[in-house]
Amino acid sequence: VSLRVGPTQEEVRRQNLGALLRYVHLHGATSRAELTGALGLNRSTIGALTAELASAGLVEEAAPRETGRAGRPSPVVRPRSERVYAYALSIEADRLRAARIGIGAVVLDQREAPRPPDLPLEGTWPVLADLIAQLAGAVPAGAVQVGTGVAGCGLLRRANAPAHLRSGGQQAPGPESLRAELGVDSPVVVGNAADVCALAEHIRGAAVGDDNVIYLHRDVGVDAGIIVGGRRLTGAGGYAGAVGHMVVRPGGHLCGCGSRGCWETELGVPAPGTAGAGTASVVDAAASGDAAAAAMVRQFGDWLGLGVANLVNIFNPDMVIFGGALRDVYLAAAARVRSRLNATALPAARAQVKLRTPQLGADAVLIGAAELAFERLLADPLDAR
Ligand SMILES: [Zn+2]
């Protein structure tokens, strides 16, 4: 039995550097006085940590905004967003996107390309590599790339799933070959689109302060990023969150998974080889006055409310966020969603849940993917550059 000693002074210093950098990454420009309170460290320690992060080129000090209050205000510490950046890639059903995102989640530059319907996952890497090359051509001298985050919907299973447990869905190559495919020289981290959207909205969007969150993402299918007690739910093999295949209507429409009446098919995701109209086109047609489409949107609203009621009963979330095409369904049929929720969910759980659309909009997936790439830097700022 060995006696466990506490962390060394060096370990504490590194943890504190990470905590300070993470704070300004999440909160933006912050005064030394506020950092002292938020991190529970004294003024001289904050000063020393700031100086160290500044000499590493990660933060800078700047004059504070005018507060109108008397006394000499303390300067603010802010992340050097234009200098320290990650690439964020989003693989979607009909388009591929790449962004260069500065620390502090500042979208510095963005490119996109259409994705032909028959382009398989392996065919997306050269297109993404080209988008990255375009972004790289505009990077200012002296900027530092810390990593690349990749998010995909339905195609990429959750990154922590051990390879031998993965089946179905398409798999991304391992991190090393992905680096070569994409032509980047920093680490590549892969995540599920619904998960990274949930993460982004949880740390800097609609769900800040809420630790039980369900982000519903509709792109290829319907998937959920689920945060329980502040932690991402992954499941035993990385498959948790496949809410699109919850059966809501036995004997209903044929789903791409082989079952019938899955939530996502009733929400307008056509099974491959069938001639169903997609969710977004139905919502568009309803908005331009098509009566049959409007009836379908009301029906979507009922199915959406029923599925959400089941999720609310199981997870008792603080918030459900409707992303992708579900945002449009929710906005077009909010009363139906709420009414079905009220008719089906347990009273206490439904009274607590807030229904929202993404505050970060279409950038949520890119900002979330970038968070994956920043994680290593934030965990140990001086080691990861
Ligand atoms: Zn299914």
Side-chain angles (χ1 to χ4, degrees):
V1 180
S2 65
L3 281 175
R4 246 193 87 89
V5 291
T8 63
Q9 232 178 344
E10 172 64 8
E11 285 166 342
V12 169
R13 187 182 66 97
R14 286 180 166 241
Q15 278 170 20
N16 287 340
L17 285 167
L20 198 160
L21 186 61
R22 191 181 296 273
Y23 194 90
V24 297
H25 171 63
L26 288 176
H27 301 274
T30 308
S31 72
R32 281 194 187 192
E34 188 184 331
L35 286 168
T36 303
L39 301 180
L41 298 168
N42 64 43
R43 289 179 69 93
S44 67
T45 303
I46 292 291
L49 294 170
T50 300
E52 197 162 355
L53 291 173
S55 72
L58 297 168
V59 304
E60 64 194 349
E61 289 199 90
R65 284 184 296 272
E66 199 54 59
T67 61
R69 275 177 291 173
R72 203 173 62 124
S74 71
V76 294
V77 180
R78 67 181 181 209
R80 291 190 62 182
S81 305
E82 76 300 333
R83 179 178 182 274
V84 182
Y85 70 93
Y87 287 124
L89 307 177
S90 175
I91 300 170
E92 302 170 23
D94 56 356
R95 63 175 174 171
L96 301 168
R97 287 194 286 162
R100 195 165 68 83
I101 297 186
I103 186 170
V106 178
V107 180
L108 299 167
D109 199 356
Q110 199 172 157
R111 299 283 192 283
E112 75 170 72
R115 179 182 183 184
D118 53 351
L119 186 70
L121 182 62
E122 61 267 26
T124 66
W125 307 123
V127 183
L128 290 166
D130 182 57
L131 295 178
I132 287 179
Q134 292 176 35
L135 291 171
V139 174
V144 180
Q145 179 200 131
V146 298
T148 299
V150 185
C153 175
L155 300 168
L156 304 175
R157 298 319 313 175
R158 283 151 172 85
N160 68 334
H164 69 281
L165 289 177
R166 295 173 190 153
S167 62
Q170 297 173 67
Q171 295 307 321
E176 281 310 314
S177 47
L178 209 45
R179 242 164 104 156
E181 296 258 22
L182 295 171
V184 291
D185 42 11
S186 58
V188 178
V189 189
V190 176
N192 173 283
D195 281 355
V196 304
C197 288
L199 170 69
E201 291 289 338
H202 180 233
I203 62 175
R204 41 176 104 246
V208 168
D210 287 327
D211 275 348
N212 298 280
V213 180
I214 297 178
Y215 186 105
L216 296 172
H217 188 76
R218 158 82 171 89
D219 184 43
V220 176
V222 174
D223 207 4
I226 301 176
I227 294 173
V228 177
R231 299 186 58 172
R232 188 172 65 108
L233 182 77
T234 58
Y239 290 98
V243 297
H245 301 287
M246 163 170 65
V247 176
V248 292
R249 187 180 166 218
H253 293 110
L254 179 66
C255 178
C257 74
S259 182
R260 281 189 178 274
C262 290
W263 195 28
E264 68 178 41
T265 61
E266 301 306 328
L267 284 170
V269 178
T274 63
T279 316
S281 58
V282 174
V283 174
D284 286 349
S288 55
D290 182 324
M296 277 183 82
V297 168
R298 288 193 293 275
Q299 186 73 68
F300 286 163
D302 285 342
W303 291 124
L304 190 56
L306 180 67
V308 167
N310 285 326
L311 296 174
V312 164
N313 284 345
I314 296 167
F315 292 102
N316 183 200
D318 299 296
M319 184 177 289
V320 174
I321 303 172
F322 300 97
L326 293 184
R327 172 185 178 276
D328 303 329
V329 173
Y330 175 68
L331 291 176
R336 304 285 286 217
V337 174
R338 191 37 103 165
S339 132
R340 190 50 86 98
L341 178 66
N342 288 346
T344 318
L346 297 169
R350 78 172 189 245
Q352 279 178 325
V353 69
K354 293 166 277 191
L355 305 182
R356 295 283 186 277
T357 55
Q359 191 174 306
L360 302 172
D363 283 346
V365 68
L366 294 169
I367 288 170
E371 291 299 330
L372 300 178
F374 281 122
E375 188 49 45
R376 202 174 58 102
L377 174 72
L378 299 175
D380 196 349
L382 300 190
D383 192 48
R385 284 165 303 124

